[in-house]
Amino acid sequence: AGIKYVVKQNGNSSKRYILLHGDEQTAKMALESHIKDYEGIAFFIENEKREIPFKSTIVDPNRIFSRNGSYHALRKFQPGWPPGELKKALDEIDRERDFFLSVVMPPKDGILIALHNNFRGYNVKDEISNSQRVSIKKNQNPRDFIICTDENDFDKISKGPFNVVLQNKHPELDDGSLSWEALRRKVRYINLETRLGYLTQQKKMLKFIEEVIN
């Protein structure tokens, strides 16, 4: 969709990291710091806002990883499209998606880690209905949490101090997020979510993940 990324590599690890929303600056700073000390390849979106311009509208870059998600993302800010134009836009995203994912997705022994920030009240309890297992800590803010798609990763992370949920089954409604595409491809995926501005907490959670998973 014309989205540009800055790519930073440290060593030859099979770990991949991605920042999908340009307005989540705490996640960006946490990942910039992390990739200096730990091996892997990190993808930073080149954008300062949450949505990116595409055709005559804007779209959330984390809602275009499926045809259904792209359809709703393109109609969110522009409900009315000229005849045939919406299909052309969807077809274009479909064609480019596979190439993008062939670059971003890790090899078979790897893992994809996405970093996000929240600032609208979104928290781990919003994910319980889509989760198969849940570990919520009493002394942790519910807006700081981890989503993973691999049960072994969940077992390891849940022994630690942070909120974590397992989502290893597809939901009835696919919203086009990267997590569901990773699950479709059987790629181990972790989403690390913290409050915007809580850099120390996000760096601490990212370091913990690095130390407990292989």
Side-chain angles (χ1 to χ4, degrees):
I3 306 170
K4 294 182 179 180
Y5 284 80
V6 172
V7 183
K8 297 184 180 181
Q9 181 169 354
N10 180 1
N12 298 307
S13 170
S14 59
K15 289 188 176 70
R16 302 290 183 267
Y17 308 87
I18 189 165
L19 175 76
L20 287 161
H21 290 134
D23 62 340
E24 297 177 358
Q25 289 295 305
T26 304
K28 180 181 180 181
M29 289 187 286
L31 184 52
E32 285 176 334
S33 174
H34 189 80
I35 200 63
K36 293 177 182 177
D37 299 324
Y38 295 91
E39 291 193 356
I41 301 176
F43 299 86
F44 298 83
I45 193 167
E46 269 198 313
N47 195 51
E48 295 182 355
K49 299 180 179 179
R50 183 176 184 84
E51 288 81 18
I52 57 99
F54 179 67
K55 303 296 185 185
S56 56
T57 186
I58 55 174
V59 292
D60 185 329
N62 195 32
R63 289 294 180 269
I64 55 176
F65 290 103
S66 70
R67 179 89 175 188
N68 182 67
S70 298
Y71 172 81
H72 290 288
L74 290 177
R75 295 188 75 247
K76 180 177 181 180
F77 297 103
Q78 184 175 313
W81 283 73
E85 290 303 309
L86 179 57
K87 181 181 183 303
K88 288 181 181 178
L90 290 169
D91 290 343
E92 181 176 330
I93 292 176
D94 284 347
R95 288 192 300 270
E96 295 180 354
R97 184 187 301 118
D98 284 340
F99 172 75
F100 176 78
L101 291 171
S102 72
V103 176
V104 171
M105 288 293 178
K108 287 186 178 181
D109 64 334
I111 186 167
L112 178 61
I113 300 172
L115 279 74
H116 287 279
N117 296 137
N118 61 69
F119 41 89
R120 297 187 180 95
Y122 170 61
N123 65 78
V124 67
K125 296 178 183 178
D126 296 318
E127 293 293 342
I128 291 177
S129 61
N130 282 329
S131 303
Q132 285 66 59
R133 294 176 64 187
V134 176
S135 176
I136 298 178
K137 316 299 181 180
K138 291 182 179 180
N139 63 340
Q140 288 291 311
N141 192 298
R143 288 171 58 191
D144 303 331
F145 62 96
I146 299 163
I147 300 173
C148 58
T149 61
D150 181 88
E151 193 155 18
N152 290 329
D153 291 336
F154 174 85
D155 288 337
K156 294 174 183 178
I157 296 170
S158 64
K159 293 175 183 177
F162 304 112
N163 301 315
V164 56
V165 297
L166 172 69
Q167 296 182 349
N168 61 356
K169 293 183 179 179
H170 294 286
E172 290 185 9
L173 181 61
D174 184 336
D175 63 3
S177 67
L178 182 59
S179 60
W180 300 126
E181 178 61 22
L183 185 59
R184 270 191 295 275
R185 292 173 178 247
K186 296 181 171 56
V187 170
R188 289 166 62 204
Y189 174 89
I190 287 179
N191 176 13
L192 200 162
E193 182 90 33
T194 66
R195 291 161 286 171
L196 185 67
Y198 283 73
L199 179 59
T200 300
Q201 174 75 344
Q202 192 150 34
K203 290 170 70 174
K204 187 188 301 182
M205 292 170 70
L206 188 53
K207 182 180 179 183
F208 170 77
I209 289 173
E210 193 77 40
E211 292 172 347
V212 301
I213 62 171
N214 298 318

